[in-house]
Amino acid sequence: MLHEDIKNNIKGAMLAKNLVLLETLRAMVAGFINELVSKNRKPNELLNDMEALVVINRLARQRKDSIEQYKKGNRQDLVKEEEAQLIILETYLPKLMDK
């Protein structure tokens, strides 16, 4: 399951000392927990893959909005950070079809 895989990847990110990946994975797990709580389920349950993809897609949209706002505010340091997180999030999303 995607939810379980992401939780397990946190340990690898810690060992690799990859802070961007670690922060992104933790944000995904927090999003999963928020989704479970909003659906009146226990926080220690796991989301199925479709529910997890909905959460990841929501997080990716948030990153895109943040990038747009930071570009308007000339905050290139924050733009780079959000873009790095967006790339990681997109690795968990299914690829879109070409036209």
Side-chain angles (χ1 to χ4, degrees), residues 53 79 96:
L53 286 174
V79 169
L96 297 176

Side-chain angles (χ1 to χ4, degrees), residues 45-59:
E45 290 181 33
L46 294 176
L47 292 174
N48 65 39
D49 287 349
M50 290 306 295
E51 293 170 322
L53 286 174
V54 168
V55 172
I56 295 170
N57 199 21
R58 184 180 318 128
L59 292 171

Side-chain angles (χ1 to χ4, degrees), residues 19-84:
L19 296 178
V20 175
L21 178 61
L22 180 61
E23 185 178 321
T24 306
L25 292 173
R26 284 181 173 165
M28 283 193 274
V29 171
F32 296 157
I33 292 171
N34 289 340
E35 183 76 9
L36 286 167
V37 170
S38 72
K39 292 184 175 189
N40 294 324
R41 292 166 58 188
K42 293 179 183 173
N44 59 353
E45 290 181 33
L46 294 176
L47 292 174
N48 65 39
D49 287 349
M50 290 306 295
E51 293 170 322
L53 286 174
V54 168
V55 172
I56 295 170
N57 199 21
R58 184 180 318 128
L59 292 171
R61 275 196 317 267
Q62 289 173 351
R63 296 301 180 279
K64 289 175 185 175
D65 291 342
S66 296
I67 290 168
E68 188 178 310
Q69 295 300 317
Y70 291 146
K71 282 182 180 178
K72 288 180 183 176
N74 282 335
R75 293 295 310 266
Q76 288 302 318
D77 55 329
L78 296 175
V79 169
K80 288 180 183 177
E81 186 178 319
E82 293 290 323
E83 285 175 340

